[in-house]
Amino acid sequence: MDDLSSEAIRSLLTSLFPSQMVEDLAREREIVIRDRKIDVRMLVWTLVVGFAVGGEARSIAGYRRAYEAATDHSVYPSSFYDRFTEELATLLRDLLDHAVEEVAVPHTLTPAFEQFRDVIADDATIVRLCRFLSEFKATHENKSGLTLYLVHNVTEQSVISDGITDETTHESTLFETGSWLSGRLFLLDRGFFKFRRFALIDENDGFFVSRLKASSNPVVTEELQEWPGRAIPLEGVRIYDVVGDLYREHIDVEVSFQRRVYNGVKSWDTKQLRVVGVRDEDADDGYRLYITNLPHDEFDPDEISTLYRARWVVELLFRELKSRYSLDEFETEKAHIVKIQVVAALLTLVVSRAILREFMDSAEEQDEECVFPTERWAATFRSLAQLILQEIAAGYGYPPPNLGEILYQEARQPSPSRLTLLEEVNAGLCGGSPA
């Protein structure tokens, strides 16, 4: 991997967010002020890379120290804090919208995916906030929490859409229908289970696989797989009424449901879908059951179960955000600062994936069999985040940091009149007053 030098990675990242684009957006959002004491390009990168560092660096004071260490330029704390505004949150949102269209990691998925335009996994996670913020109401009184919703492109391993709401907003309401569904396969968990949603995906020429909810209990209209001997007939019964009595390896049936009245339209519509089951002694009723509109003659139950496993990539994405980047550690009383940091977290993923793509492309070109486990990659990226930030600063012409000066400025007592603990003890022993 000698061709992926520090300069190459620096060039890759600065081209992801070109200087002129960042400055134009900052000017449009009225973030750039006349004195230009803070380089808005480095402010953006400090938030993105600084979020990966986590811990104390997640505070505004920590971001300021990271900025100063990378640029070798001291900034008044108040001047730096004043940049954390609603406008900065909007700027980061603009950059995220740009970045998700630019970054995709090559996939090594089953050829069964090739017939779909994309394979999409939708999911959401709850982020608990340490302080009460009225904008992010939780399901418990006097608590705060936000819902982070992600639409993840499994095929290209990239986040293509996201949403940030309070905890009380149900994740399923964030799923958008329309022509964009065409040709895509959606892997949905039970939180998105709704027959009307399935029908809209089907009517927009999309495909879906979802776990079947026991409360739905649809009626079987036809068996799609014959079983010899004295197999229990399923036609005309509700699937959950008999599934506990079955011992066959697979279930493959057609079911029907009726869509209810919506928006005052009184015409009822019957829709035919497919339910498949794969024998699993550890599962409820002995089967893993799925509902789908994938054709019977192209996908058998085992293949559908295997396809659905790809939905876990979005679960792993949330786990990466929480376990590796400590997504749910926010010590702030400002709702817009929470938004800034959540979007910074998503930008961190985008930037991390951009570098990963380069390594994977390079390995492929050199015919090297390299595997980069996601969480191992995230841990490595986090541990080297400050070095990455310094490389970016070097690309913008900043000199190497003066480590001694930074340590002196940050570690010294800000108020000369304030005594240390030992000075207070000495003053007390000598009969003085510990001012």
Side-chain angles (χ1 to χ4, degrees):
M1 296 292 173
D2 295 337
D3 55 326
L4 284 180
S5 61
S6 296
E7 291 77 10
I9 293 175
R10 178 204 306 163
S11 176
L12 163 70
L13 295 182
T14 53
S15 64
L16 185 60
F17 302 129
S19 295
Q20 193 62 53
M21 182 189 72
V22 175
E23 291 175 346
D24 288 346
L25 286 172
R27 194 172 295 106
E28 181 180 328
R29 300 298 179 188
E30 298 183 352
I31 296 173
V32 176
I33 60 176
R34 292 178 183 176
D35 59 16
R36 288 179 173 264
K37 290 181 179 179
I38 295 178
D39 185 335
V40 70
R41 302 169 303 175
M42 284 303 300
L43 175 61
V44 166
W45 281 111
T46 299
L47 289 170
V48 174
V49 180
F51 187 92
V53 175
E56 197 276 336
R58 191 69 55 77
S59 67
I60 295 180
Y63 285 128
R64 179 178 58 81
R65 293 189 184 100
Y67 178 95
E68 292 179 338
T71 63
D72 195 31
H73 179 66
S74 297
V75 179
Y76 284 112
S78 60
S79 178
F80 195 80
Y81 185 89
D82 288 345
R83 299 307 192 279
F84 284 71
T85 62
E86 293 277 3
E87 290 75 20
L88 179 58
T90 304
L91 170 63
L92 294 180
R93 175 78 263 172
D94 293 338
L95 293 175
L96 181 61
D97 290 342
H98 164 78
V100 295
E101 297 179 0
E102 299 295 323
V103 177
V105 179
H107 69 88
T108 54
L109 299 174
T110 170
F113 283 176
E114 297 295 337
Q115 63 182 285
F116 304 112
R117 178 179 170 191
D118 286 307
V119 178
I120 305 295
D122 292 50
D123 209 347
T125 190
I126 302 298
V127 178
R128 298 292 180 189
L129 304 179
C130 298
R131 302 177 186 273
F132 176 70
L133 300 176
S134 60
E135 187 171 336
F136 295 112
K137 295 180 180 178
T139 53
H140 297 84
E141 189 176 358
N142 296 324
K143 299 289 184 180
S144 293
L146 64 84
T147 297
L148 173 60
Y149 168 72
L150 294 183
V151 179
H152 190 265
N153 188 323
V154 178
T155 312
E156 296 185 343
Q157 297 189 40
S158 64
V159 176
I160 61 174
S161 180
D162 65 277
I164 302 171
T165 65
D166 63 33
E167 185 184 341
T168 62
T169 301
H170 196 277
E171 60 195 40
S172 68
T173 63
L174 302 173
F175 185 96
E176 296 182 359
T177 57
S179 60
W180 82 284
L181 304 174
S182 178
R184 290 186 162 103
L185 170 63
F186 293 85
L187 307 175
L188 307 172
D189 78 351
R190 291 189 180 101
F192 294 86
F193 192 100
K194 185 182 269 189
F195 283 124
R196 176 170 170 77
R197 178 172 293 112
F198 301 153
L200 288 172
I201 293 174
D202 186 68
E203 289 163 10
N204 281 279
D205 299 321
F207 303 92
F208 71 90
V209 178
S210 170
R211 291 297 298 270
L212 185 68
K213 290 180 72 171
S215 59
S216 66
N217 205 11
V219 176
V220 176
T221 57
E222 182 184 353
E223 292 197 57
L224 302 177
Q225 184 173 350
E226 293 184 1
W227 289 90
R230 300 174 63 184
I232 298 175
L234 301 182
E235 190 170 326
V237 302
R238 294 188 179 274
I239 189 69
Y240 276 105
D241 292 350
V242 298
V243 68
D245 299 323
L246 301 178
Y247 295 94
R248 61 189 66 177
E249 190 67 23
H250 298 118
I251 297 172
D252 197 350
V253 297
E254 190 175 81
V255 299
S256 68
F257 69 93
Q258 288 185 314
R259 288 192 289 174
R260 297 173 294 173
V261 176
Y262 290 97
N263 296 325
V265 178
K266 297 183 179 180
S267 59
W268 285 62
D269 180 23
T270 300
K271 194 77 175 175
Q272 302 295 123
L273 293 173
R274 182 181 171 206
V275 167
V276 302
V278 177
R279 190 74 184 164
D280 184 350
E281 297 296 340
D282 295 326
D284 294 340
D285 298 313
Y287 288 91
R288 282 177 279 118
L289 294 173
Y290 307 90
I291 187 166
T292 183
N293 65 339
L294 291 174
H296 163 72
D297 57 352
E298 294 184 33
F299 294 90
D300 64 34
D302 282 325
E303 289 173 328
I304 288 175
S305 178
T306 300
L307 283 172
Y308 189 78
R309 288 178 58 193
R311 201 196 69 78
W312 281 99
V313 296
V314 73
E315 298 282 358
L316 295 175
L317 206 63
F318 286 133
R319 189 168 79 177
E320 180 180 339
L321 283 168
K322 289 186 172 182
S323 66
R324 297 301 181 183
Y325 298 130
S326 304
L327 177 65
D328 49 0
E329 294 181 9
F330 295 131
E331 291 284 352
T332 179
E333 298 177 352
K334 305 287 186 181
H336 69 273
I337 293 179
V338 170
K339 292 179 182 178
I340 286 172
Q341 299 211 62
V342 172
V343 178
L346 298 178
L347 283 166
T348 296
L349 281 178
V350 169
V351 168
S352 171
R353 295 299 193 270
I355 301 176
L356 175 58
R357 180 182 63 180
E358 290 299 307
F359 279 102
M360 295 181 71
D361 286 347
S362 180
E364 184 177 353
E365 291 173 2
Q366 300 176 31
D367 293 326
E368 294 185 13
E369 294 185 3
C370 291
V371 177
F372 299 92
T374 303
E375 293 198 25
R376 181 182 178 88
W377 174 262
T380 304
F381 180 83
R382 177 176 178 173
S383 66
L384 299 176
Q386 188 63 42
L387 290 177
I388 295 171
L389 185 59
Q390 289 177 200
E391 280 293 334
I392 294 169
Y396 290 146
Y398 287 98
N402 185 329
L403 184 58
E405 178 64 19
I406 293 172
L407 290 171
Y408 172 78
Q409 292 294 339
E410 292 298 326
R412 70 190 180 98
Q413 177 65 262
S415 174
S417 62
R418 187 182 302 172
L419 300 179
T420 66
L421 175 61
L422 289 180
E423 287 172 337
E424 289 182 0
V425 172
N426 286 333
L429 291 174
C430 295
S433 175

